[in-house]
Amino acid sequence: LDGGNIIQFRNRYGTAWYNVKTSSLEWKNSFTSLPCDYIHIGPVSVSPDGKWMCFVEQTHTAMGRLVIQNAVTGDKRILVDKVDFTYDKVQVKWSSNSGALLYEKGGTIYFITPDAAFKNIQLPEEYRSIGRGTMNSVSWARNGSLLYISGDIIYKINENELYTRGLYSSVVGSGTIIGRLPFEFEPFHDQFWCDAEGN
């Protein structure tokens, strides 16, 4: 975290931070009594710059809330009230510069910019929609562009155009068409990747 200055450790006893500069270890949260039973901790998706963490807070046996957290202050914002809880991975995707995060809610993909979310200046969700699909429908390229598949069409959206596309999607559409698949993409079953340049 913090650009490589802090290493975060998580296990069944809690979460600790090791500061590389000061060579100190600090428990951020821990159990008051050590758990004797095996506890499987849930996955966390950390932004590439280490400033933000995204995870599912378990609320029921198989359900939880999708949360984004400031890695330094511990402040949290709820992104989705009800999501499936799994131990596999967090269903989000970070842009390479950590400026945007994609998440899915009710079969629609949305984006959020962490800085704006924590300053409470984020646009309403309806204006941050990418389109229908799941996390399988999108892939970030290293240059900051987002590739999105809808049906059999592949669209490209530059990260700096996300808000424009969200606000004016009825006028400008889903993005620039860059390809077409020989079959319709099934977001619940198919997988999608792109190279680092999005070509």
Side-chain angles (χ1 to χ4, degrees):
L1 308 174
D2 191 26
N5 294 318
I6 295 172
I7 300 173
Q8 176 173 276
F9 298 92
R10 297 170 60 242
N11 60 24
R12 64 181 179 156
Y13 303 114
T15 303
W17 283 7
Y18 176 77
N19 190 311
V20 177
K21 291 181 177 177
T22 62
S23 299
S24 60
L25 183 71
E26 175 188 359
W27 283 94
K28 299 308 281 185
N29 61 54
S30 61
F31 293 101
T32 53
S33 60
L34 295 180
C36 296
D37 298 330
Y38 174 76
I39 297 175
H40 193 154
I41 58 175
V44 172
S45 176
V46 179
S47 63
D49 64 5
K51 292 181 179 178
W52 316 101
M53 298 184 295
C54 203
F55 55 92
V56 177
E57 278 185 341
Q58 193 172 6
T59 55
H60 297 88
T61 305
M63 296 295 292
R65 294 185 292 246
L66 182 64
V67 172
I68 185 171
Q69 182 178 34
N70 184 308
V72 177
T73 66
D75 291 344
K76 298 178 187 176
R77 297 289 184 272
I78 296 172
L79 299 179
V80 185
D81 286 322
K82 287 186 179 181
V83 295
D84 293 337
F85 179 81
T86 69
Y87 290 108
D88 296 331
K89 64 178 182 178
V90 183
Q91 292 294 324
V92 298
K93 291 188 178 177
W94 291 97
S95 63
S96 59
N97 66 0
S98 307
L101 172 73
L102 301 177
Y103 65 95
E104 185 258 330
K105 178 180 176 182
T108 300
I109 302 162
Y110 297 94
F111 71 90
I112 188 169
T113 53
D115 282 327
F118 282 86
K119 292 175 182 173
N120 295 319
I121 55 173
Q122 194 74 259
L123 284 175
E125 203 169 53
E126 62 191 273
Y127 299 114
R128 295 184 283 110
S129 170
I130 300 293
R132 299 292 296 166
T134 69
M135 286 296 98
N136 293 337
S137 306
V138 289
S139 183
W140 286 105
R142 195 182 312 146
N143 63 7
S145 58
L146 171 68
L147 274 63
Y148 162 62
I149 295 181
S150 177
D152 61 347
I153 304 294
I154 305 172
Y155 298 93
K156 185 175 185 178
I157 306 168
N158 291 324
E159 186 177 347
N160 60 1
E161 298 174 349
L162 286 174
Y163 280 109
T164 305
R165 300 278 180 193
L167 287 168
Y168 304 107
S169 59
S170 59
V171 178
V172 299
S174 298
T176 304
I177 296 174
I178 61 166
R180 187 167 197 164
L181 301 175
F183 53 85
E184 188 157 322
F185 186 79
E186 293 288 339
F188 291 100
H189 306 290
D190 297 335
Q191 297 284 332
F192 166 55
W193 299 270
C194 69
D195 68 353
E197 304 307 318
N199 295 325

